[in-house]
Amino acid sequence: MSYSVPSLRRHSTLLVGLAYAAFISLGLPDGLTGVAWPSVRAEFGLPLDALGALITSGTIGYLISSFSSGRILAKIGVGWLLVLSCLATAVSLLGYGYAPAWLFMASLGILAGLGAGAIDAGLNTYAADNFNPRMLNWMHASFGLGAASGPVIMSSIISANQSWRIGYVVVGIAQLLLASAFAITRKQWQTNQPETVVEPVTSATMLQTLRLPVTWLNILLFFLYTGLEFCAGQWLYTLLTTSRGMEAGIAGIWVSIYWGSLTVGRLLSGVIVGRMSVVSLLRLSMLVAIIGVVLFWLNLAPWLTVIGIALLGLALAPMFPSFIALTPARMGPRHSANTIGFQIAAATLGGASIASSFGLFADWMGIEVLGTYLFVVALAMALIFEALNRLKPAA
């Protein structure tokens, strides 16, 4: 069964720019926190692993909002969802900046996750119906720009002997401005039905969508994809330094090549996707991802290993946005919004659980099992994707 993405509907340059800006804002907090953490820890007198509380609370909020985004969209629409989500994120960031105690700051992680998850799911739902695959890839590349900008902002503030709190306040104010822009344009985000539809489409309930086998295959696909991406990014450095004897500086460069390839790949795939079908691009990407994992796994020569790492990053780049682009055709208008929310939730859960569960395998079998582990995940993802291609679209 082959799928084609819907034709691009009318959209304004302003809305496209706001969508890209929103994805930049999604990446900013991650970069801020990584640099701010030593200062936060010192000010509140925290142990090193206390950051886990903030990560966990954020993940809980992210899962709740992304999983239920389909129902929320059906009730209030994309425009208001984006306004409220940006406000929630802004309040959480400003709260970080003025937090009187660590418990207060960690609790705000739930609000930050609620806002970020809703922005992620809401914009992906809108973009799947209104943007072409090229624009979707570029929108997701914007996240990398935000993630790269966050450390620059926070490190510049700390280097100037200013408090880490200022970094969160600055980004929180920018988030308020973005919320204002969404509020002004909220009516323009209303998604129109295709001209061939005479009666408005009634969204299915979450339970109705979850009863479809194709929904669970979509959920599993996203679970495996983000698990592969995050697991590789989290554990490459440890393997290279502890098992393969690589110097820390060089290992850091190799890991940067992986993440850099992922970001560059999304920019390039935005061009390539206009020259071949999305399904063909994804099949090629999955084949290249498996080749990249095998080269890294076998470790035949340093130059082949680094090529494998770069190939894996490039191959993973178009997958997430392209999976989203295919969802409306696979699920139909009644189930599309619910499914995208489930996909975002599954992606969050997959990234955390697959990367963390590898630690158990590493303790048992050694860190070199990473190559085998990634190969199994990559192969399973390819098989699930082919199974999805053979199913009939949902009604």
Side-chain angles (χ1 to χ4, degrees), residues 90-141:
V91 170
S92 66
L93 291 170
L94 292 172
Y96 290 166
Y98 293 99
W102 168 243
L103 182 60
F104 181 81
M105 184 174 180
S107 300
L108 281 172
I110 296 178
L111 184 62
L114 287 170
I119 293 171
D120 197 354
L123 274 176
N124 272 301
T125 300
Y126 179 87
D129 283 332
N130 293 272
F131 293 175
N132 59 29
R134 175 181 302 173
M135 295 165 65
L136 260 169
N137 275 279
W138 288 343
M139 186 177 78
H140 281 265

Side-chain angles (χ1 to χ4, degrees), residues 167-205:
Y168 285 113
V169 171
V170 168
V171 177
I173 292 172
Q175 196 74 16
L176 280 177
L177 295 175
L178 185 59
S180 300
F182 281 132
I184 293 171
T185 61
R186 65 186 183 279
K187 293 183 180 179
Q188 298 181 44
W189 292 93
Q190 181 65 38
T191 303
N192 298 319
Q193 300 292 345
E195 295 179 359
T196 55
V197 177
V198 177
E199 297 294 333
V201 176
T202 303
S203 297
T205 64

